[in-house]
């Protein structure tokens, strides 16, 4: 089966510019996650969707970050305006609807964002 | 809320030597525990997971980990390191809420 797809793989922008990332989860996976991974740290959850509803966005900086998952399939994460400290890898993951594997997350390759 | 501590941000071993990466967790509920590996410029790949049942779990590439509730530990081991094992390793804990990751351990293999 195809894995989690993300684009673009790399993005360089100036501070105060806007940027958007796209994620297409594994087919049939109900839950979608966006993580921020700063260099030298573990991934940190930004937002979790169950189908097209938000389950957890407690660590999403809502003044500049937004995310949506229309139709419960693919998702976009936007940053507007970007700050230097937003430089990181943004990982998308998905997990199955139910069953023993529902807590296993499958990760995409990530988007490396550099803010200058 | 749960937390994960990985002891040692960088571990270096010789090819053929034992690999031991340490992970301790804190969780208010029985946790699900995971080890992920990340190669340069790639996403995270699941090595192994503990949910319930047998406390010694085997994963891909010859890795295994043992869940020790009394020590709140989930250390990752491999009997004989291979050059291809060089990567970043993350321990993660799923408790009542979200999946929480440790800060990672970079494994270097010396020829």
């Amino acid at each position: 089966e195809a894995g989690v797809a993300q684009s673009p793989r790399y993005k360089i922008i100036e501070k105060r510019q806007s940027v958007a990332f796209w994620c297409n989860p594994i087919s049939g996976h109900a839950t979608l996650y966006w993580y921020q991974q700063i260099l030298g740290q573990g991934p940190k959850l930004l937002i979790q969707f169950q189908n097209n509803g938000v389950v957890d966005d407690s660590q999403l900086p809502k003044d500049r970050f937004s995310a949506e998952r229309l139709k419960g399939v693919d998702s976009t994460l936007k940053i507007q305006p970007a700050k230097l400290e937003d430089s990181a890898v943004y990982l998308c993951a998905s997990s199955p609807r139910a069953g023993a594997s529902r807590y296993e997350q499958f990760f995409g390759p990530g988007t490396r964002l550099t803010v200058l | 809320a749960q937390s994960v501590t990985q002891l040692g941000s960088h571990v270096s071993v010789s090819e053929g030597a034992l690999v031991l990466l340490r992970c301790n967790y804190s969780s208010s509920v029985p946790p699900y525990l995971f080890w992920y590996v990340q190669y340069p410029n790639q996403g995270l790949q699941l090595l192994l997971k503990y949910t319930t049942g047998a406390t010694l779990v085997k994963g891909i590439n010859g890795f295994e980990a043992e869940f020790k509730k009394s020590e709140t530990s989930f250390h990752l081991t491999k009997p004989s390191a291979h050059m291809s094992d060089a990567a970043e390793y993350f321990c993660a804990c799923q408790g009542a809420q979200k999946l929480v990751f440790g800060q990672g351990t970079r494994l270097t293999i010396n020829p």
Side-chain angles (χ1 to χ4, degrees):
Chain A
E1 75 185 349
V4 177
Q6 289 188 248
S7 67
R9 290 294 315 275
Y10 305 91
K11 190 74 176 178
I12 300 174
I13 62 172
E14 300 278 336
K15 61 183 179 183
R16 290 188 290 274
Q17 285 186 323
S18 302
V19 64
F21 313 127
W22 175 82
C23 172
N24 190 29
I26 293 172
S27 178
H29 280 195
T31 310
L32 185 148
Y33 313 80
W34 282 103
Y35 288 87
Q36 180 190 57
Q37 185 180 17
I38 293 173
L39 186 65
Q41 299 181 20
K44 182 186 79 172
L45 181 69
L46 291 175
I47 188 167
Q48 176 183 342
F49 293 94
Q50 179 77 19
N51 297 310
N52 60 349
V54 175
V55 174
D56 183 351
D57 64 357
S58 58
Q59 296 192 91
L60 187 73
K62 299 180 186 62
D63 58 333
R64 297 184 300 107
F65 285 65
S66 64
E68 60 182 9
R69 191 184 183 197
L70 299 176
K71 302 180 182 179
V73 182
D74 57 352
S75 175
T76 57
L77 175 70
K78 297 179 181 178
I79 306 175
Q80 181 181 7
K83 293 185 175 182
L84 295 177
E85 59 261 36
D86 298 332
S87 294
V89 175
Y90 291 85
L91 295 165
C92 180
S94 67
S95 60
R97 183 180 305 275
S101 297
R102 67 189 182 279
Y103 292 118
E104 179 178 338
Q105 297 185 22
F106 296 80
F107 285 81
T111 296
R112 182 176 297 277
L113 173 67
T114 301
V115 182
L116 303 176
Chain B
Q2 62 265 31
S3 65
V4 176
T5 301
Q6 291 183 238
L7 301 177
S9 59
H10 190 190
V11 171
S12 181
V13 302
S14 298
E15 190 174 19
L18 171 71
V19 174
L20 171 61
L21 305 183
R22 300 177 187 273
C23 171
N24 288 88
Y25 70 90
S26 172
S27 178
S28 57
V29 300
Y32 287 8
L33 297 164
F34 304 83
W35 276 99
Y36 283 88
V37 61
Q38 186 176 36
Y39 297 100
N41 299 315
Q42 295 186 26
L44 278 70
Q45 178 184 5
L46 182 69
L47 276 178
L48 48 80
K49 63 182 178 183
Y50 168 79
T51 53
T52 58
T55 57
L56 180 64
V57 292
K58 296 185 183 299
I60 62 172
N61 302 338
F63 284 94
E64 62 182 36
E66 186 171 10
F67 170 60
K68 293 187 176 181
K69 183 178 178 181
S70 61
E71 299 177 9
T72 61
S73 69
F74 190 57
H75 301 330
L76 181 71
T77 60
K78 181 174 180 178
S80 178
H82 191 273
M83 295 299 292
S84 61
D85 295 327
E88 188 91 16
Y89 291 80
F90 293 93
C91 181
C93 175
Q94 173 82 47
Q97 301 167 330
K98 52 182 166 280
L99 186 65
V100 173
F101 286 85
Q103 79 277 17
T105 298
R106 180 167 300 276
L107 177 64
T108 301
I109 311 297
N110 302 313

